[in-house]
Amino acid sequence: MISVMCVVQEGQISTEVQFALRAAISAFTQRAFAAAADIDWIVVPQGSGFTAAAPSTAMVASMHANRSLKRGERTALLRELGEICMERTGLSPNEVVTSIRDPQ
């Protein structure tokens, strides 16, 4: 199981988009790590998230890999995860933060 945390702003992502994003992230973890995703979906209440002193529109997709990754592979996987998030949500590259950490 790949532990995934998605942090989004309240009202930012519709239920339909959330389900599509969850499915795409699950497919990603199956392809990249041959493991299912255990997604913790966290909604930040409106007015509680700020970037550059303005209400945030950013989302975070963060996960632990099930094996150590070399820099080149990590970079490619981060790029793919970011593209998945941007394609499903319509957010810009400046609004999507991705992280893939080595196993705990």
Side-chain angles (χ1 to χ4, degrees):
M1 214 36 122
I2 302 295
S3 178
V4 181
M5 179 181 64
C6 290
V7 180
V8 300
Q9 307 301 314
E10 182 179 26
Q12 176 184 34
I13 296 176
S14 71
T15 302
E16 296 80 19
V17 171
Q18 176 185 340
F19 285 126
L21 185 56
R22 284 175 177 266
I25 290 172
S26 292
F28 169 79
T29 63
Q30 284 291 345
R31 268 192 324 277
F33 304 110
D38 178 23
I39 300 174
D40 187 14
W41 191 265
I42 301 168
V43 177
V44 177
Q46 218 167 26
S48 296
F50 280 73
T51 301
S56 181
T57 58
M59 79 157 290
V60 176
S62 178
M63 65 183 64
H64 276 100
N66 57 2
R67 58 187 166 74
S68 294
L69 302 172
K70 294 188 188 273
R71 177 177 268 192
E73 182 182 19
R74 184 183 317 276
T75 299
L77 291 173
L78 286 167
R79 185 172 291 117
E80 182 180 353
L81 180 58
E83 288 171 1
I84 288 167
C85 293
M86 288 182 289
E87 286 172 8
R88 298 307 185 286
T89 64
L91 295 174
S92 75
N94 292 330
E95 296 171 299
V96 175
V97 178
T98 58
S99 169
I100 302 175
R101 298 172 311 284
D102 282 341
Q104 295 177 333

